[in-house]
Amino acid sequence: MKLKIPRQEMPEQDQKLRVRNFQEVPYGFTTELAQLEAGRCLQCTNPKCVNGCPVNVDIPEFIRQIREEDYVNAARVIKLRNILPAVCGRVCPQEEQCEAHCVLGIRDKPVAIGNLERFVADWAMKTDAIKAPMAPPKLNKRIAVVGSGPGGLTVAADLLQLGYTVTVFEALHEPGGVLVYGIPEFRLPKSIVSHEIEYLRMLGGRIELNTVIGATITIEELLQDYDAVYLGVGAGLPHFMNIEGENLCNVFSANEYLTRINLMKAYRFPEYDTPKPEGNKVVIVGGGNVAMDSARNALRCGAAEVTIVYRRSRKELPAREEEVRHAMEEGINFKLLTTPIRFIGNDISWVKGMECMRMELGEPDAGGRRTPIPIERSNFMIETDLVIISIGTGPSPLIFANNPNLERNRWGYIVVNLETMETSIPNVYAGGDIVTGSATVISAMGAGRTAANAIHTKLSGE
Amino acid sequence: MYEVLRKEEMADGSIIRLDLHCPLIAGKAQPGQFVIIRANEHGERIPLTIADCDAFSGVITIIFQIVGKSTALLRGFKAGDYIKDVVGPLGKAAEIDKVGTVVVVGGGTGIAILHHVTKAVKAAGNNIIGILGARSKEYIIMEAEMRQLCDEMIITTDDGSYGTQGFVTDALKKCLDERSDIKLVYAIGPIIMMKYVCRLTEKYHVPTKVSLNPIMIDGTGMCGGCRVGIGGETKFCCIDGPDFDGHKVDFDELEKRNSMYLKKEKDALLFSIR
């Protein structure tokens, strides 16, 4: 009776120890745990979990391979549909995707698909078991992929495996997009990201770093050299609150804070040259995953007290449940139903506090979320010496430079045909956050998959 | 990897000029634009203005003053060495029209940037008065190149070791008092210099452009580290600038934000020589 095996929990680093290092919090399944958990899968003939996965990994099949103890083949099955399994196993919101569709979840807890995916990917990485499949015959068609985040990497891998010649252009000095600058080391070790990206090079992909499309090369120029262009540039422009004192010293956007710590390795300053922002009483404004990442990074950088200030209540926190739980376990304070109205500086213009107002929740808005309303005369002060603003991002304007033809919606995101991801410029495709606004790693990969299929249909059909 | 083709030391070795092989950047760069450089694997990303470029040979020139760890690191590069990362051209190009007489004011290493902009001012068909200033004689750089572009040239040094003794603002005030045909002032140099130039020209109602130099990380608009108050609005220098209407810039804020890491910069330098 399979239902009798409970869902296996992943062992985690002790919370007192982990706040003082940048090592991963969950240790991953042991072989024994993976076997037990894989044993829970019912091997449905009509599996719902696969539909819940934006890139349609053949989940029952890779779990079956785990049961057979054939981890190499398990990894192959996943890799066929997803070139970043070690990443997705760690950062996907499985509870809303594959695991939400697992039939076991109706009466019990769903199969821990994400943890099993991570187990297989880590195993393959440790044993270096996965080699690139044999190169397909070359099609003599060239594809330019702009942005090396998860969406761009998926498009590139899919088209390489069909025989296209693919060049990926990246503005930063390292590929990976949000995987390298945004998600912290303790949640996604950078060695894992670079290992998974190496697979793209094994497939024959070229990655051109330090190349800003819109500045170094224009989209128009790309179209002269490539048969199709995919724009997977993300939504990296940080929003600020536009309130008094926001430009004081030691007030950061989450993007800047995380880029310094993660990409530039400021947490290892002065061994690395980028200075580490420091504060004793750190405040993060916002309640998403990025806010949780910032808060937990600040703790590991030596802050005595870290507080998340969010204008709605616990229930509305946009961050994943697991991230909120980790943050709370680590001792991060939550000041809910609170919003800053101004920042206050000391005599040399460093932030020393912020004035806040308490909020109450009004009627649900069009999207169903209850609007926060400030409570009059509820003002109070919070002492702080480092503020991280994490209230969301928008589309960066650079990709649109000299490109009036690229149609955008009223929020500035690129308009695409959702079946093909083609933009208003023929043969220029787009997907991920630059189309939808900030979403998840896996949804960007799903968009990349759709675009790769459409590009192949168009280029091979015409 | 980007090859260093030529290196020159100026101003007693305190200012360095490097010519880099960056064909894509050289083919696109306009006056006023900059690059972000990371010298090596452990390096930080620092913005440096493109002081000159040649699309034909694929060369860009950067000129910088040794002020801390990263610039000291860059000074160690010589012809034949490779710099890890160079990205650009970034920022908006200087917008220059034919307006008549333009005063271009440069201070210290700012003269290097001013030189590229002055080329464009000249190409637009303006009459140019150049005012170059520095602490003392050896810190006046690119004088010959600037003389070629300017119709008139005034040089000031703080200690009077060359040209007129005094600040660039003294020479500029004299110009503004004596002539009524000055339509635009372009000032590039230390923040304090640009601030006082703008205070002066405001009184004379002469439009003034400045090129700002805040701390940057990515240089592509994704972090806001370079944000600066412009007429009460927050702008990102890397994508909205680096050129702004000098009369709207909050120079005090810029100065404070630029001093944010002074202690850390010292720590980095100490660590590197330990």
Side-chain angles (χ1 to χ4, degrees), chain A residues 171-174 181 209-212 215-218 221 236-238 240 242 246-253 255-257 259-260 263-264 268-278 347-350 389 396-398, chain B residues 1-2 24-25 28 38 40-45 69-70 73 84-90 215-229 233-234 236 239 253 256-261 264-265 267-268 271:
Chain A
L172 289 171
H173 58 261
E174 236 173 83
Y181 77 75
L209 301 171
N210 296 320
T211 312
V212 187
T216 317
I217 305 174
T218 63
E221 287 167 331
L237 184 85
F240 285 93
N242 299 318
E246 204 165 23
N247 294 349
L248 287 165
C249 296
N250 249 20
V251 178
F252 296 89
S253 74
N255 266 12
E256 178 180 359
Y257 184 72
T259 300
R260 281 177 178 273
L263 176 71
M264 305 310 297
R268 285 165 70 179
F269 178 87
E271 185 195 337
Y272 282 77
D273 292 344
T274 303
K276 177 174 80 170
E278 264 168 304
D347 52 359
I348 52 164
S349 290
W350 283 66
I389 312 274
S396 165
L398 268 182
Chain B
M1 301 286 271
Y2 303 81
L24 284 178
I25 302 172
K28 279 272 156 55
R38 190 174 72 128
N40 62 27
E41 204 51 54
H42 283 218
E44 60 178 336
R45 296 166 65 98
K69 162 109 189 250
S70 293
L73 200 67
K84 186 90 180 59
D85 301 295
V86 182
V87 56
L90 300 168
I215 291 171
M216 288 188 189
I217 313 283
D218 62 289
T220 60
M222 61 168 262
C223 85
C226 65
R227 65 195 191 276
V228 54
E233 259 183 278
T234 292
F236 289 7
I239 50 173
E253 182 184 283
K256 273 160 193 150
R257 286 187 63 84
N258 267 15
S259 66
M260 198 152 51
Y261 299 101
K264 294 263 176 190
E265 284 162 14
D267 293 348
F271 181 82

Side-chain angles (χ1 to χ4, degrees), chain B residues 141-149:
Chain B
I141 57 169
M142 302 185 87
E143 184 190 339
E145 290 93 330
M146 285 299 289
R147 279 197 190 276
Q148 278 200 329
L149 297 168

Side-chain angles (χ1 to χ4, degrees), chain A residues 161-373:
Chain A
Q161 293 179 85
L162 289 165
Y164 292 88
T165 303
V166 180
T167 307
V168 180
F169 295 95
E170 169 55 50
L172 289 171
H173 58 261
E174 236 173 83
V178 74
L179 308 177
V180 292
Y181 77 75
I183 304 176
E185 180 73 19
F186 55 83
R187 213 147 73 73
L188 182 61
K190 300 309 149 212
S191 55
I192 284 174
V193 179
S194 59
H195 194 279
E196 296 215 318
I197 290 173
E198 204 42 50
Y199 185 72
L200 190 82
R201 293 204 174 97
M202 278 162 61
L203 292 173
R206 270 167 59 94
I207 302 180
E208 293 286 347
L209 301 171
N210 296 320
T211 312
V212 187
I213 302 305
T216 317
I217 305 174
T218 63
I219 293 176
E220 233 166 65
E221 287 167 331
L222 286 180
L223 282 172
Q224 290 163 15
D225 291 339
Y226 294 88
D227 298 282
V229 174
Y230 180 78
L231 305 175
V233 296
L237 184 85
H239 286 158
F240 285 93
M241 308 188 73
N242 299 318
I243 57 176
E244 188 187 326
E246 204 165 23
N247 294 349
L248 287 165
C249 296
N250 249 20
V251 178
F252 296 89
S253 74
N255 266 12
E256 178 180 359
Y257 184 72
L258 292 173
T259 300
R260 281 177 178 273
I261 304 288
N262 300 329
L263 176 71
M264 305 310 297
K265 301 197 170 18
Y267 69 92
R268 285 165 70 179
F269 178 87
E271 185 195 337
Y272 282 77
D273 292 344
T274 303
K276 177 174 80 170
E278 264 168 304
N280 208 31
K281 290 189 168 193
V282 181
V283 168
I284 290 92
V285 182
N289 288 324
V290 175
M292 303 303 141
D293 285 347
S294 303
R296 297 174 69 201
N297 254 336
L299 208 58
R300 285 159 175 77
C301 284
E305 206 181 299
V306 180
T307 306
I308 283 181
V309 168
Y310 177 60
R311 59 193 184 137
R312 291 189 172 89
S313 70
R314 168 87 165 87
K315 212 175 80 204
E316 289 84 15
L317 277 173
R320 279 181 75 192
E321 193 49 43
E322 190 192 345
E323 303 308 324
V324 177
R325 175 175 66 81
H326 276 145
M328 286 183 161
E329 281 171 3
E330 289 171 9
I332 284 159
N333 308 317
F334 284 73
K335 242 187 180 38
L336 302 166
L337 290 164
T338 300
T339 204
I341 55 169
R342 71 183 173 108
F343 299 102
I344 297 144
N346 65 13
D347 52 359
I348 52 164
S349 290
W350 283 66
V351 68
K352 67 168 186 182
M354 60 192 229
E355 186 176 345
C356 297
M357 279 184 96
R358 295 201 192 285
M359 312 291 275
E360 58 189 352
L361 292 180
E363 294 300 307
D365 62 14
R369 285 214 301 181
R370 295 174 66 192
T371 318
I373 303 160

Side-chain angles (χ1 to χ4, degrees), chain B residues 103 105 131 154 156 166-179 182 184-187 191-210 245-249 251:
Chain B
V103 182
V105 186
I131 302 177
I154 302 158
T156 67
F167 297 127
V168 288
T169 38
D170 301 329
L172 179 61
K173 183 171 188 306
K174 197 154 169 274
C175 276
L176 290 165
D177 283 334
E178 285 169 5
R179 311 179 53 140
I182 296 167
L184 177 71
V185 171
Y186 223 115
I191 295 171
I192 185 95
M193 181 210 99
M194 294 191 285
K195 175 169 134 180
Y196 282 104
V197 164
C198 291
R199 280 201 184 162
L200 179 67
T201 56
E202 211 164 11
K203 284 185 207 139
Y204 290 81
H205 306 288
V206 177
T208 302
K209 285 190 184 186
V210 292
D245 175 348
H247 295 156
K248 291 187 174 167
V249 173
F251 285 106

Side-chain angles (χ1 to χ4, degrees), chain A residues 51 280 407 444 460:
Chain A
N51 302 333
N280 208 31
E407 196 188 329
S460 61

Side-chain angles (χ1 to χ4, degrees), chain A residues 141-153:
Chain A
K141 299 243 187 223
R142 291 153 58 89
I143 314 294
V145 173
V146 183
S148 66
L153 294 175

